[in-house]
Amino acid sequence: MNTLDFHNHLMPSVDDGAQSLEESCRGLSAFQAEGVNAVITTPHFDASLTLWPELLSERLARLDAAWTEVSHHARSHHPGLLLERGVELMLDIPHPELADRRLRLAGGPFVLIEFPYMTVPPRSAETISTLLGGGTLPILAHPERYDGFTRDFSLAEQWKRAGAYFQVNGGSLLGRYGPEAQRFAYGLIERGWADYLCSDYHARGVLGVRAYQELLTSADAEEHVHLLCEVNPRRVLAGEPPLPVPALATKRTFWGRVSGLFSAR
């Protein structure tokens, strides 16, 4: 595998992820043990800070210090692992200023965004369109997990039409966020709407990258694992949009096949 994970919280002592360099190191070791050889770490970041220069400077200085610490450590203790930085930008305002490269994934055109407090704000599709018009390429983190995600997937369709790419959490496929998020995650993959699959790992507990990759492979979605975990995340590094991921048009739904695999365990 040539897996790249660009949604995780491994910078030490800056958010609810790794609380020390030791935890960061354990997280990086866990990624390498499960075949991940490139990581873009993405600490939480409030979009509203971009409108307040002093607060923005303070927050970025803290992230810079954490990045220096973890990147120096990685070079010495995790050979063969590519480590880059970005943020997970919480859209507590709809129109952030994203000129600073530290706010974008590996300094490129992509920005990993999330809606505030796991809820869908009013005019969410319009917010995505505005980000796209500002010259950034928005990747929506874990769309399957938001309160208000519509059962008929119509809201996800609006986000797609507005220009968002979708990053599904691997843990959702494994049921870690409950049955609804699990069903929505598989529904996005089934429709061919998921573009990336990442861990959202917080440097504790079981990582599970190999587990969700193997589950998809067992459900006859090996091509999807390749695109979602390897090809498309690598294209983020190159500043290139993801390749289309095919829908799974079968007589038995993808979710039905996966449910069968869970029942057999």
Side-chain angles (χ1 to χ4, degrees), residues 23 46 65 113 120 131 139 147 152 159 182 184 194 202 224 236:
E23 287 193 0
D46 293 350
I113 62 171
V120 179
L131 290 173
I139 300 176
D147 291 336
D152 63 358
W159 295 336
Q182 186 179 42
F184 291 147
H202 280 63
H224 295 73
V236 169

Side-chain angles (χ1 to χ4, degrees), residues 210-239:
R210 190 164 290 158
Y212 59 72
Q213 290 178 345
E214 290 177 351
L215 185 63
L216 288 176
T217 299
S218 299
D220 302 322
E222 187 172 9
E223 177 188 6
H224 295 73
V225 172
H226 180 56
L227 287 168
L228 293 168
C229 298
E230 299 181 58
V231 175
N232 285 346
R234 291 278 173 179
R235 291 175 68 86
V236 169
L237 289 178

Side-chain angles (χ1 to χ4, degrees), residues 94-117:
H95 307 300
E97 170 54 57
L98 300 176
D100 196 303
R101 291 170 57 87
R102 290 171 290 182
L103 302 178
R104 293 178 265 127
L105 297 177
F110 292 94
V111 59
L112 182 66
I113 62 171
E114 66 171 340
F115 295 131
Y117 313 116

Side-chain angles (χ1 to χ4, degrees), residues 119-143:
T119 60
V120 179
R123 305 171 74 175
S124 57
E126 182 178 317
T127 297
I128 290 169
S129 294
T130 300
L131 290 173
L132 191 65
T136 56
L137 300 175
I139 300 176
L140 181 60
H142 43 61

Side-chain angles (χ1 to χ4, degrees), residues 24-82:
S24 299
C25 182
R26 286 201 298 266
L28 293 173
S29 295
F31 273 121
Q32 287 188 293
E34 298 205 21
V36 178
N37 53 24
V39 169
I40 304 175
T41 185
T42 49
H44 290 294
F45 198 100
D46 293 350
S48 57
L49 294 178
T50 66
L51 304 185
W52 298 91
E54 184 174 340
L55 296 177
L56 176 63
S57 179
E58 290 175 1
R59 178 60 172 160
L60 286 174
R62 186 180 176 195
L63 296 186
D64 287 345
W67 168 249
T68 297
E69 186 177 26
V70 72
S71 60
H72 284 179
H73 177 84
R75 282 195 292 272
S76 300
H77 295 83
H78 299 277
L81 179 71
L82 173 66

